[in-house]
Amino acid sequence: MKVEDNIFVAGHQGMVGASLVRRLNKEGFHNILTRSSAALDLRNQQKVDAFFAAERPDYVFLAAAKVGGIKANHVYQAEFLYDNLMIQCNVLKAAQQYGVKKLLFLGSSCIYPKYAAQPIQESSLLTGPLEESNQWYALAKISGIDLCKAYHQQYGCRFISVMPTNLYGPGDNYNLETSHVLPALLRKFHEARKYKLASVTLWGSGHPKREFMHVDDCADACLFLMENYEDTDIVNIGVGTDLSILSLAHKIKALVGYEGDIVFDASVPDGTPRKWLDVSKINGLGWKANISLSEGLASVYASCKNEDWW
C-alpha cells in the first residue's frame, strides 16, 4: 500500500476497525474512508455499490460484522446469519466490480469444528460439526471465506482471509446481553467490587479454555498480511497460548481488587471446550503478537474503570 491510496475500513466504529484506523494513521496513511452504519448500511446492495462507485477505494479491510457472545448468538440466530451474509456479499461484490487492488476479510476462530484438534490448524476448517451456540455466525464467516476464494479463482481478485482468535481491547462491548466473556468478566468483577457483592457468577463450568489477543496486535497482523500475504488459504492470528475461563476470572478478580467468591451457573452452556489457534503459519511469515494478556488487561482496565463503559 502507498500512503496516497484510498483505504476503506468497513466497520471502523467496531473494536477491530477502530484499531485498524489508529494503526493506519500511525503508519502515515491518511486517505482512510470510513462510514458509520447509519450513513452506509452495508446490508444494502444499492448503497454499497453507490459508495464504491463514488469513492473508488484501492484497499479494503472488511471488519464490519454483527458480533456477540453465546447469549446473543442464541437469541438473534437469523440476524447473525443474514446480516453477516449480506455485509460480506455486498462488499466483496463491489470490491470485485470496482477493481479494488486488495481486500482483507476478517473471519473468526469460531469457524472451526467444536472438537477440532488443538492447537487448531487452518486445515481443520470443515472437518467436523460446528459449536451449536455460534453456528449462525460461523456459517456466515465460512461463506465469506469461500466467496473470497471464488472471486480470486474466477476474477483474479486479491482477496485474503484471516481468522483472529478471541479479541479484547479499547472499544470493547460491555453489555452483558451481547458481550464476549472477557469484557463481561471485567464488568462483573468491577461492579462486584464497587457494590461490595458477596460473589460473582460465571457462566458454565469455568473449564473451557480460550486464547485472548489484544486488538492492537490483531490490527498489526492485518497490516502485515495485507502487505506480505497473497494466498487464498486462510491465516490464523493469535498469541499461541490459552487459559481456562476460571483462570481468566482469577486474573481479572486480582486486577480489579475484588475479594468475594466465584460461583458457577451450570445452566448456561460452556460452548466449545477449547479454542487455541495454531499460529505457526503467520509466525513463519515473520509476525508474532507483542502484547501479553497481563499487560493488555491492565491497560484496558486502567482506561475504562472510571468511565460509564456500560
Side-chain angles (χ1 to χ4, degrees):
M1 293 188 295
K2 299 177 181 178
V3 293
E4 63 269 20
D5 287 327
N6 290 328
I7 302 172
F8 177 37
V9 179
H12 78 286
Q13 293 180 320
M15 184 169 62
V16 178
S19 183
L20 282 166
V21 170
R22 291 194 301 270
R23 185 55 194 268
L24 287 165
N25 281 324
K26 182 179 178 181
E27 295 296 322
F29 296 98
H30 297 299
N31 294 333
I32 301 173
L33 305 171
T34 60
R35 293 291 187 277
S36 67
S37 56
L40 175 60
D41 184 351
L42 296 176
R43 298 169 300 178
N44 186 305
Q45 185 179 39
Q46 289 73 29
K47 291 181 178 180
V48 173
D49 186 90
F51 169 79
F52 273 77
E55 300 295 342
R56 298 290 175 140
D58 297 299
Y59 293 86
V60 175
F61 290 90
L62 181 44
K66 182 177 181 63
V67 299
I70 291 177
K71 184 172 183 179
N73 274 270
H74 175 71
V75 175
Y76 304 108
Q77 298 174 3
E79 286 79 8
F80 271 88
L81 183 56
Y82 176 84
D83 289 357
N84 286 303
L85 284 174
M86 294 304 294
I87 289 168
Q88 296 162 189
C89 289
N90 293 338
V91 173
L92 292 174
K93 174 60 178 175
Q96 177 268 320
Q97 184 174 351
Y98 291 99
V100 165
K101 294 177 182 178
K102 194 171 183 181
L103 177 146
L104 182 144
F105 172 68
L106 272 148
S108 167
S109 59
C110 76
I111 64 166
Y112 292 116
K114 181 174 182 176
Y115 299 108
Q118 305 291 318
I120 307 174
Q121 298 181 343
E122 288 88 351
S123 58
S124 296
L125 182 61
L126 297 176
T127 59
L130 299 169
E131 159 57 39
E132 297 86 351
S133 64
N134 60 17
Q135 63 177 312
W136 313 107
Y137 180 73
L139 285 168
K141 288 298 181 180
I142 292 169
S143 297
I145 293 166
D146 281 348
L147 190 55
C148 285
K149 288 183 178 180
Y151 275 121
H152 172 82
Q153 293 170 4
Q154 187 171 344
Y155 296 102
C157 297
R158 296 169 65 205
F159 293 174
I160 63 173
S161 299
V162 304
M163 304 300 121
T165 191
N166 299 284
L167 302 175
Y168 69 96
D172 213 336
N173 171 25
Y174 294 94
N175 183 329
L176 295 180
E177 293 294 314
T178 56
S179 65
H180 290 101
V181 61
L182 190 150
L185 290 179
L186 266 176
R187 174 174 177 175
K188 285 183 176 183
F189 280 107
H190 175 84
E191 291 187 330
R193 182 189 62 80
K194 182 177 180 180
Y195 298 113
K196 298 179 172 58
L197 302 181
S199 64
V200 168
T201 300
L202 266 62
W203 285 4
S205 67
H207 297 312
K209 292 185 136 184
R210 294 290 183 269
E211 177 183 18
F212 297 96
M213 179 170 64
H214 194 284
V215 69
D216 288 349
D217 266 343
C218 180
D220 183 64
C222 288
L223 262 67
F224 174 85
L225 291 168
M226 184 68 98
E227 297 278 14
N228 296 284
Y229 188 72
E230 295 293 336
D231 205 315
T232 58
D233 290 338
I234 60 178
V235 183
N236 288 337
I237 302 176
V239 298
T241 59
D242 65 352
L243 77 168
S244 70
I245 299 302
L246 180 57
S247 295
L248 174 67
H250 281 293
K251 270 184 173 288
I252 294 175
K253 177 183 177 181
L255 173 66
V256 169
Y258 175 66
E259 297 181 351
D261 297 325
I262 296 174
V263 298
F264 300 92
D265 181 0
S267 69
V268 181
D270 275 335
T272 302
R274 193 178 190 186
K275 279 201 298 184
W276 171 34
L277 296 185
D278 185 327
V279 292
S280 57
K281 184 174 183 177
I282 191 170
N283 289 171
L285 292 170
W287 183 90
K288 289 186 177 180
N290 291 309
I291 303 172
S292 70
L293 181 58
S294 294
E295 176 190 356
L297 283 175
S299 174
V300 168
Y301 187 57
S303 69
C304 67
K305 64 181 179 180
N306 295 319
E307 301 294 329
D308 185 19
W309 40 312
W310 36 81

